[in-house]
Amino acid sequence: MGADTGGQEDEHPAHTVTVAAFWLDVTEVTNAKWDECVSAKVCRPKSAAVRVAHPEFNGPDLPVSGVSWDDARAYCQWRGKRLPREAEFEKAVRSTDARTYPWGGDRPTHERTVFAQTHPEAVGTHPAGRGPYGHDDLAGNVWEWMEDEYDPLAYRRRGAAEGSPGTCDEIRATLDDLRRTGQRGFTGSNPIPTECEHSIRGGSYNYDAFGLRSTNRVHHPGRYRIPMLGLRCAKDAVEEEVPRGAPDAGEAK
């Protein structure tokens, strides 16, 4: 996980992480799937600002966006799942060969993914960009909420080998120190947060090619409901759930 050079300081250093077996949805959650949760009166509709200002984002097969971290978490729980952790997401992208992008080392193209444009596209429509385990849109299309709080020093803490960030108190102390000492390179061009925010992963339709790298770490306050941020769900894999044949529709290990 991570890298020794390139990118931002919060991506350093490269290190080995051990994660338990898990399942991850093959695609990002779509508007159609989200609307099922809304109809069940469990989820609230996605942001009115996104629905109204971006009607071209509302197609049933497009990734849902304009949902907060709490919204995303509630949806996954309703499906009997949870949000993925950063370490799990990066494992799904990189496998064990530390690839730069889900498909390997070649630079992004529009055949492989959705980037450097003004809107997302239907999920699963770029099979050339699938990851090592068969997942679609792990780089590009929309950012995806992670379970973890964003910790700029996560890779240097005692929990790094398990992919665990610091506590919120530890994170706030780190952010205060970065701000006090005028350090840059931990949050890209974004200002250093003043609160515990949540990690987001996977790049977005409006990002450039470099921003789609597998180690890129970005973050937003959990209350954000913005056009370029959606989700996919994960769940723990227990022995009796491992299928003998193909995985359930919409899921892959």
Side-chain angles (χ1 to χ4, degrees):
M1 192 172 182
D4 287 325
T5 59
Q8 303 289 337
E9 285 297 321
D10 62 2
E11 300 171 46
H12 304 161
H15 58 291
T16 300
V17 179
T18 300
V19 296
F22 66 98
W23 297 95
L24 184 68
D25 286 355
V26 169
T27 67
E28 296 157 330
V29 174
T30 63
N31 286 309
K33 291 294 186 182
W34 188 268
D35 286 345
E36 292 175 1
C37 189
V38 174
S39 295
K41 303 187 183 307
V42 174
C43 296
R44 61 176 171 170
K46 67 181 188 178
S47 166
V50 175
R51 293 199 315 273
V52 175
H54 299 279
E56 71 278 16
F57 287 29
N58 293 334
D61 296 327
L62 292 172
V64 69
S65 61
V67 298
S68 72
W69 181 82
D70 283 329
D71 293 336
R73 207 166 187 239
Y75 172 88
C76 290
Q77 289 175 346
W78 180 67
R79 294 290 188 187
K81 305 177 186 179
R82 58 175 173 78
L83 288 173
R85 298 168 57 214
E86 275 198 85
E88 292 172 333
F89 191 86
E90 193 164 323
K91 172 65 186 296
V93 175
R94 305 183 83 186
S95 184
T96 57
D97 58 10
R99 57 186 63 191
T100 305
Y101 304 104
W103 53 84
D106 295 335
R107 287 181 62 79
T109 65
H110 287 287
E111 179 186 14
R112 294 189 176 103
T113 190
V114 183
F115 71 106
Q117 61 184 47
T118 59
H119 55 84
E121 297 180 13
V123 304
T125 53
H126 295 77
R130 283 179 181 147
Y133 303 105
H135 297 90
D136 289 299
D137 305 312
L138 289 172
N141 222 17
V142 292
W143 288 105
E144 302 177 25
W145 284 114
M146 299 289 107
E147 175 67 24
D148 301 330
E149 288 179 319
Y150 169 74
D151 181 359
L153 295 184
Y155 297 174
R156 309 176 195 185
R157 294 199 193 273
R158 60 186 178 279
E162 292 79 44
S164 299
T167 66
C168 185
D169 286 343
E170 290 173 329
I171 291 169
R172 281 200 301 261
T174 294
L175 296 172
D176 289 345
D177 185 62
L178 293 177
R179 193 178 301 104
R180 183 174 59 254
T181 56
Q183 295 188 56
R184 290 292 181 268
F186 285 88
T187 60
S189 59
N190 295 327
I192 295 171
T194 58
E195 61 185 287
C196 292
E197 300 187 345
H198 283 281
S199 295
I200 61 177
R201 285 287 195 135
S204 178
Y205 63 84
N206 65 332
Y207 246 53
D208 60 19
F210 183 63
L212 303 186
R213 65 191 181 278
S214 60
T215 55
N216 192 15
R217 305 179 65 215
V218 181
H219 50 92
H220 279 314
R223 62 185 174 274
Y224 273 28
R225 303 170 75 196
I226 55 178
M228 63 288 298
L229 179 51
L231 72 146
R232 79 176 74 209
C233 301
K235 74 176 190 177
D236 297 338
V238 295
E239 187 173 349
E240 58 268 25
E241 290 178 339
V242 176
R244 293 183 176 83
D248 292 341
E251 295 185 349
K253 192 173 182 181

